[in-house]
Amino acid sequence: MTKTVVAQKYGNPDVLKLIDVEVPPPARGEVRVDVKAIGVNPFDYKLYSGAWGTDPSKLPIHLGGEAAGVVSAIGPDVTTVAVGDEVIVSPGSGLYSEQVVVPSSSVTPKPSSISWEQAAGLLLVGGTAVDALDTIRVSEGDTVLIHGASGGVGSLAVQLAVARGATVIGTAGASNQEYVRSLGATPVLYGDGLEARVRELGSVDAAFDTAGTDEAVDVSLALVADKRRIVTIVAFGRAESDGFNAVGGGNPQSAEARLKARGELVELAGAGRLTVKIAKTFPLADAAQAHAELQSSHPAGKFILIP
Ligand SMILES: NC(=O)c1ccc[n+]([C@@H]2O[C@H](COP(=O)([O-])OP(=O)(O)OC[C@H]3O[C@@H](n4cnc5c(N)ncnc54)[C@H](OP(=O)(O)O)[C@@H]3O)[C@@H](O)[C@H]2O)c1
């Protein structure tokens, strides 16, 4: 048996419960991982908040898209990992657990130089950032505006864009301006007057919206001449109506791009050239508290659950 967090109905984080479930032995091509740390993402609470519907047939909903841990058993025909290997699990689902059984294709070796927490918080946000930056072709000499530069996705996008030789302008709240500067971007406050504040800093070639607000979209459309160089990961409706890019949301091309990005992300993080800031850790049993805090104003960095 293992402890796992599920949403037993739709609603606010109070609907989360820690329950015991059987862990099946790993089948052909699968591995069992003893989980050391789990990344918390807004996606996790959107699954049961009603943001994407309230289909009763999907209940109970198992949560968790990324984790890190130690391989404790392997199924037949697994040749790429061995018992005792330290790994990152991503992509995944239902990873808010002490123990998980996953396809061996979803595990990547964990660099020994990063912590369990950083490993668990690296690939979902990092893969999203790489996918988005590739979509708007960010490269050396570009100036790119990143909305939500202090966030999980945004903070990795800033570091990756800077590493590509781009100049980055990053929006954030007042308390995170210095953090965004420390990542290598010029920080600006989001909110009224954003367009004018960015214009003062010069022209912008491309924009990446991780905030999903009309302000972020409207400012991007006003400042970037070529709509093919604007991408959002949240404002899917606006992307469709205004004719710019959106990535993720079940798009198979995005899934493929993120799988491919895992090697680069692990290498950069392992070499200390990409840093995942950890905001706070919570025991697995406090997942509801973590979700409540993630939905309100919270410190920059990833929230991590520890089984
Ligand atoms: N499409 C995909 O594949 C995909 C993948 C991953 C995530 N997402 C989505 O992307 C979003 C961001 O995820 P995350 O993990 O980066 O979240 P996060 O860590 O909570 O970061 C949220 C960011 O938004 C900023 N923000 C808050 N209010 C804002 C406003 N009014 N205007 C502009 N920025 C504002 C925050 O800035 P301050 O904290 O400085 O105020 C912070 O930088 C979520 O909605 C998530 O579901 C989509």
Side-chain angles (χ1 to χ4, degrees):
M1 296 291 260
T2 188
K3 297 217 177 295
T4 194
V5 172
V6 294
Q8 291 181 316
K9 44 190 180 172
Y10 291 93
N12 63 35
D14 294 345
V15 302
L16 297 185
K17 294 280 172 286
L18 190 66
I19 61 166
D20 287 311
V21 291
E22 287 287 345
V23 187
R28 190 171 303 280
E30 289 183 334
V31 300
R32 189 180 69 207
V33 177
D34 293 352
V35 177
K36 300 281 189 190
I38 302 153
V40 180
N41 290 283
F43 178 86
D44 304 343
Y45 60 70
K46 290 181 186 177
L47 280 174
Y48 65 85
S49 68
W52 295 325
T54 55
D55 179 354
S57 71
K58 292 186 175 158
L59 295 171
I61 299 170
H62 289 253
L63 308 172
E66 58 178 347
V70 180
V71 175
S72 57
I74 61 172
D77 295 342
V78 172
T79 53
T80 47
V81 277
V83 170
D85 283 0
E86 298 189 348
V87 295
I88 304 176
V89 186
S90 174
S93 60
L95 303 182
Y96 278 19
S97 298
E98 295 170 331
Q99 229 178 28
V100 292
V101 172
V102 296
S104 61
S105 59
S106 70
V107 308
T108 304
K110 169 194 168 293
S112 55
S113 55
I114 65 173
S115 67
W116 288 114
E117 290 84 353
Q118 288 175 314
L122 171 67
L123 289 185
L124 195 147
V125 287
T128 305
V130 170
D131 184 16
L133 294 177
D134 284 349
T135 298
I136 54 172
R137 306 186 319 276
V138 171
S139 64
E140 188 163 6
D142 281 332
T143 297
V144 57
L145 172 62
I146 298 179
H147 298 276
S150 54
V153 178
S155 61
L156 283 237
V158 171
Q159 296 175 68
L160 291 163
V162 168
R164 290 180 185 199
T167 298
V168 182
I169 299 169
T171 78
S175 59
N176 286 324
Q177 297 287 296
E178 283 317 306
Y179 172 54
V180 169
R181 193 184 303 284
S182 76
L183 297 172
T186 302
V188 276
L189 268 181
Y190 55 69
D192 278 355
L194 174 63
E195 183 183 331
R197 286 192 291 283
V198 178
R199 279 192 192 281
E200 268 176 34
L201 298 170
S203 64
V204 171
D205 302 301
F208 175 12
D209 164 42
T210 78
T213 58
D214 281 335
E215 174 188 78
V217 170
D218 291 338
V219 168
S220 300
L221 288 166
L223 295 176
V224 178
D226 179 354
K227 283 187 193 179
R228 290 170 304 180
R229 303 205 67 194
I230 302 175
V231 66
T232 184
I233 54 170
V234 185
F236 289 89
R238 288 292 309 266
E240 199 171 346
S241 60
D242 291 87
F244 59 91
N245 299 292
V247 295
N251 170 337
Q253 251 179 308
S254 278
E256 189 57 38
R258 293 167 196 204
L259 280 181
K260 261 207 222 147
R262 294 184 302 181
E264 173 195 355
L265 291 163
V266 163
E267 196 181 314
L268 286 171
R273 290 163 54 209
L274 187 62
T275 304
V276 178
K277 181 178 160 82
I278 305 302
K280 197 165 171 181
T281 60
F282 300 77
L284 179 60
D286 292 347
Q289 179 65 25
H291 283 196
E293 290 187 29
L294 194 63
Q295 288 177 71
S296 38
S297 187
H298 58 82
K302 293 290 297 178
F303 282 14
I304 301 293
L305 301 173
I306 307 291

